[in-house]
Every structure is written in structure tokens, then in C-alpha cells.
Amino acid sequence: AAYLRELKDGPERPGALAYLREQQQGFGVGQQLSTEGGTRKTGVDLRWKIDPVWSVEGQLLAQHSLATEADRQLAEAEVRYELETVGAGLGLRHVADDVPGEGTRRSEQAFVTGNVDLFDRRITLRGSADASLGGADGDASVDYPARTLLGVDWHVRDDVDLFTEWEHGSGAALRSDMTRVGVRAKPWERTQVVSSVNQQSTEYGPRSFANFGLTQGFRVNERWTFDVGLDQSNTIRGPGVAPLLSDRAPLASGTVGLSGGNGSSGVVGSSLATGSLGGTTATEDFLATFVGTQYHDEDWTLTSRAERRSADSGVRWSFTGGWYREQSAGHSLSMSLQHLDSTSRLAGPDEARTELRFAWAWRPADSRWIIFNRTDLARERRDYAASVEETLRWVDNLHANWQPRADQQVGLQLGFRRVIGSFDELRLAGTTLLLAGDWRVDLPWRAFGRALDTGLHAARIESREAGVARSG
């Protein structure tokens, strides 16, 4: 299960966002971020633009892990000053991580950021510093150690940048030094080259590695476009660094994995930028290549992409394709296909996953009806040394909305899910049905300049084979 509640204010000053969300592990059919699985978050983000150059930003966050029962509370406030060539920020941060069985880890910090363009914007100097205010125990959070980052970008030409960056992190749970030197270039149209040499020193020992990336696009004519790319990282010397967090949840501050040379912290595996499916190991060597095509007509668009990634952990092949037809007479259609095939070089299983999705929307401009329908077909297979697991899944969701009057609307939701799973000789199957409806009506008065409405919602979900149901 999962839920999300948000209260937003617009971009005008002051701006605010309050939210409450929970996503249990395994929710959905692959459309959600894996880093959000098994978490509950409550928070408020604020931004107040005082004038064209001064602004104040802040956030409050309470996060809970449903799997480990760990909790995090974060409070942060920052004052920012922004001009065309100069920017600076000054703020305070409080972080408290409550880890069951290990007590509370706190980070009490003051932080400052700054950047300045020199010599007619040919040189950019940038830096940031997070300083502990609580003594030896003031930087115990693994995501928020005391941290210093200094960087220089030299804009050699409009299409070539040289950069160097040094980052030092020192906390009770993390000590790391990272040096990056590289180049970002666009030697011809629709091309980008990124290469860097990185030196990293941690409590696990020194490590040097090189990173190289290339993407190239070719526009054949007004309708056809091709893209090819390559991304590679190799350890030059030194042992691999053990990740401190899950590969799916990079550090909020500091870097213990690879960096694509873009100067951002917390990057885990630059192959993620090439569209690789599945997880990645933050410290392994890899070579990823891809090719993609796009065809665009007046009424429809077709895209496709194939990629091969060879790494220490295994070899992955992936293919994605999509077709979309523009709205015509109120109808629009789309279809997508994803396939992943992974062969493990470690103790893990070989995996294969295929997903086919078809969506239809009907929304004529002169109709009181709007109808959406989406069907997902998926197959997953895992081959272990002594067993095989396979799952087939069919999910269909229909949502219809009818507006009998300008101030009323009626909604209908129908859901169907059929899952068949096999574990060696054991075969299991289940069917789940959902029926829901809602009715909303605008109220005749306004409060604080805002329109109000009220409504009713009813739903019933039923598992046929299990013989259980829930209504509300």
C-alpha cells in the first residue's frame, strides 16, 4: 500500500509545500522510485523570496524506515544571495538519526556555499563547507559529516569545460577524501564527452579510478534521430571501497561511489545516466554502451533504445521502446515495451524481466466524459543455482469521470490484477478486483479566497482465491 497527501502554495512569495507520504516495500508495478520503498515521510518545504537577490529557504523532515524502524529528523534553514555572477548561502542544519540498538546519531551543522564567475565568466570558483557545531559528536550522521568542497571550472570554449574538484568528509561514520580532474566537452552537435580521473582515500584505503562518458546524436532528417553512447569506469589502483549505504540510496552529503565528473555529490554509478535498468554497485568497474532511435511524425512518435552493460557483478542487456499517438478526435494512445536480461558473475541469480504497457485516453473537448485505461503485462524470471522462480502479471486500471453539471463530478474506478507465480514445481495464482466511486460538488462559499468542495468516496477490494474483501 501507499498514500500521498500534499498541500501546496504557488510560486509567488511566500512558497510552501507540506506533504505526508508512505510507500510500503513492493508497492506498485515498477513505476515508483526504489529508494522510496519501505519509507514514511512527513515534511514542510518553505521558500520566501524577499527581493530579486535575497531569499530564505527552509525544510522540516521526519522520515521512518518501515523495514528497520530507523528514524530521521531534519531541520534546515538557509539565507541565499544571488546575482548573475555571484551566489552565496548561509544556513544551519540539525539532523538526528535514531537507529534501533545503536542509539541516536546527531549532526549539528552550520553550512556555507558560494560561487563566483571571473574574467568575463571564463572561470567559475565554487565551494561549500559544512562545519560541526556539536564537538566530536556533532557529525555522527552518516549522510551529514563535516564536509568541505572546493572546485574550479575553466570554460575554455562554449563547448569545452575543464574542471577540478576536491572534497573532504570527516565524521564519526565517514572519513573520505575525493579529488576529481576532468573535462566536459561538446565537440560537435548533439555530442557530449565527459572524462575524469578520481583519487579517493577512505578508512578502507586509497583508490584511483578513471571515468569516461560519450554521447552522440545524429539528426538524419526532420523525422529520424539516432543516439549512441559509451560510459566506462576502471579502477587504476587500490582496493574497492565498501558502500556505507544501499546502492539504491546514495548519501545525502559526501561521495563514496563513482562520479561522472559533474561536480555533484552523492552520485552512485555514472551508468545510471545512460538508462541502465536494475541496481548497480557503487564501486565496481563497468563498460556501458547504448544506441537509440526516434521517429517523429505529425500524429505519432516512436522511440527505442538498446544498451549493454558489462560490470564486475555481471552483464546486463536492456531494451526499451515506446509508441505514442497524438490526440485525435478526443483519442490518444500509447504503448511501451521494456526488456532486461541480466547474467550474474557473482552469487546472485540470472534475471530476465519483460513489461508491456498499453494506455488509452478519451477526452473530447465537448464531452462531459473523460476515460483513461492502462493495461500492464509483465513477466519476471530468476534462475538460481538450485531453483527457478517465475511470475506473470496482468494489471488493468480504468478511471472514468463524468461531469453532469459545472459544479459536480462523478468518478468510477475499476481495477483488475491477475498474478501467476511458480517456484520450481509449485504454482500459485491470485486475482484481485477493485471497484470504487466518488462524487464531488463545489460549495457556494469561499474561505480565505479559496474555493471549497465536498464529496463522498467508496471502494471495495476483493481477493477471489483467498476469499477476503475490504470495503470503505
Side-chain angles (χ1 to χ4, degrees):
Y3 61 81
L4 171 65
R5 297 290 183 269
E6 288 186 343
L7 179 63
K8 297 181 181 180
D9 192 16
E12 302 297 329
R13 54 183 183 182
L17 167 65
Y19 57 90
L20 170 64
R21 64 173 296 159
E22 178 179 314
Q23 181 182 321
Q24 297 177 3
Q25 200 69 41
F27 169 76
V29 288
Q31 81 278 25
Q32 302 292 334
L33 289 175
S34 59
T35 55
E36 298 295 327
T39 63
R40 181 188 304 125
K41 288 183 177 181
T42 306
V44 177
D45 294 339
L46 300 171
R47 177 179 174 82
W48 181 31
K49 193 168 182 62
I50 302 173
D51 58 34
V53 297
W54 287 98
S55 63
V56 178
E57 300 179 8
Q59 66 166 321
L60 298 173
L61 169 68
Q63 183 175 359
H64 175 73
S65 172
L66 303 177
T68 65
E69 299 298 324
D71 289 288
R72 165 171 291 174
Q73 288 81 40
L74 181 146
E76 183 177 286
E78 181 182 12
V79 178
R80 293 205 55 81
Y81 177 80
E82 295 285 350
L83 290 176
E84 289 187 2
T85 59
V86 177
L90 178 64
L92 296 173
R93 178 187 298 124
H94 163 78
V95 182
D97 295 340
D98 187 6
V99 183
E102 300 182 19
T104 302
R105 303 173 181 175
R106 301 181 184 273
S107 286
E108 312 287 349
Q109 296 178 329
F111 60 91
V112 59
T113 63
N115 62 275
V116 58
D117 294 333
L118 304 175
F119 307 112
D120 196 22
R121 299 190 176 183
R122 304 298 293 180
I123 300 291
T124 299
L125 306 179
R126 50 189 170 81
S128 64
D130 301 348
S132 172
L133 301 178
D137 298 328
D139 51 15
S141 172
V142 67
D143 283 305
Y144 297 93
R147 175 175 171 266
T148 303
L149 185 146
L150 299 174
V152 180
D153 298 334
W154 178 25
H155 312 294
V156 182
R157 299 198 314 250
D158 292 340
D159 53 3
V160 178
D161 291 346
L162 301 178
F163 67 89
T164 181
E165 186 175 87
W166 172 75
E167 178 181 329
H168 171 73
S170 177
L174 171 67
R175 293 182 181 274
S176 176
D177 286 278
M178 175 76 79
T179 302
R180 307 179 186 94
V181 178
V183 58
R184 288 186 293 264
K186 295 182 180 179
W188 58 89
E189 185 180 5
R190 294 179 55 81
T191 303
Q192 184 171 1
V193 178
V194 177
S195 65
S196 63
V197 177
N198 302 261
Q199 173 69 44
Q200 183 183 58
S201 298
T202 72
E203 57 265 50
Y204 300 94
R207 179 173 182 260
S208 297
F209 53 93
N211 183 269
F212 174 78
L214 167 68
T215 61
Q216 168 62 53
F218 304 92
R219 179 174 293 278
V220 179
N221 52 43
E222 293 182 355
R223 301 189 184 280
W224 282 100
T225 303
F226 291 88
D227 291 280
V228 295
L230 180 148
D231 199 8
Q232 180 183 33
S233 179
N234 287 312
T235 299
I236 299 173
R237 62 180 176 85
V241 181
L244 299 180
L245 291 181
S246 167
D247 296 333
R248 296 183 180 274
L251 295 176
S253 178
T255 301
V256 296
L258 305 181
S259 171
N262 57 7
S264 61
S265 63
V267 177
V268 180
S270 59
S271 68
L272 295 177
T274 69
S276 300
L277 298 175
T280 182
T281 301
T283 57
E284 67 178 355
D285 297 343
F286 66 87
L287 171 63
T289 57
F290 75 88
V291 58
T293 63
Q294 175 177 297
Y295 180 84
H296 180 71
D297 201 327
E298 293 182 359
D299 297 328
W300 56 276
T301 300
L302 178 67
T303 62
S304 63
R305 179 190 182 96
E307 177 178 330
R308 182 183 187 272
R309 184 181 188 275
S310 178
D312 295 338
S313 60
V315 178
R316 275 203 302 270
W317 287 89
S318 64
F319 172 82
T320 60
W323 173 81
Y324 173 74
R325 191 184 190 286
E326 300 288 344
Q327 180 169 309
S328 176
H331 294 266
S332 59
L333 301 171
S334 69
M335 184 169 61
S336 65
L337 174 66
Q338 289 189 341
H339 177 74
L340 166 68
D341 196 292
S342 174
T343 302
S344 176
R345 290 172 173 161
L346 304 177
D350 295 341
E351 298 180 83
R353 183 172 76 246
T354 304
E355 262 189 47
L356 177 64
R357 174 176 296 172
F358 180 79
W360 168 67
W362 186 67
R363 43 188 172 185
D366 57 350
S367 174
R368 295 181 181 271
W369 284 91
I370 297 177
I371 301 176
F372 299 104
N373 190 84
R374 197 182 86 184
T375 296
D376 294 81
L377 301 173
R379 176 184 179 270
E380 297 180 2
R381 180 183 175 92
R382 293 182 177 86
D383 291 308
Y384 295 88
S387 63
V388 176
E389 298 178 3
E390 186 171 6
T391 303
L392 300 176
R393 187 170 63 243
W394 175 22
V395 181
D396 188 86
N397 287 285
L398 171 70
H399 184 101
N401 189 280
W402 177 47
Q403 192 172 19
R405 297 183 349 194
D407 61 344
Q408 293 188 30
Q409 64 177 4
V410 179
L412 173 67
Q413 299 88 43
L414 299 176
F416 168 84
R417 179 175 62 190
R418 175 70 173 175
V419 179
I420 302 175
S422 62
F423 307 87
D424 291 334
E425 302 301 324
L426 177 64
R427 183 178 182 274
L428 303 173
T431 303
T432 306
L433 301 176
L434 169 69
L435 173 62
D438 62 88
W439 168 76
R440 307 197 69 85
V441 57
D442 293 339
L443 296 177
W445 61 84
R446 302 172 67 89
F448 306 103
R450 302 285 184 176
L452 301 176
D453 62 38
T454 185
L456 299 174
H457 178 80
R460 176 181 174 84
I461 186 169
E462 177 182 346
S463 178
R464 302 300 301 273
E465 284 76 8
V468 297
R470 184 176 64 187
S471 301

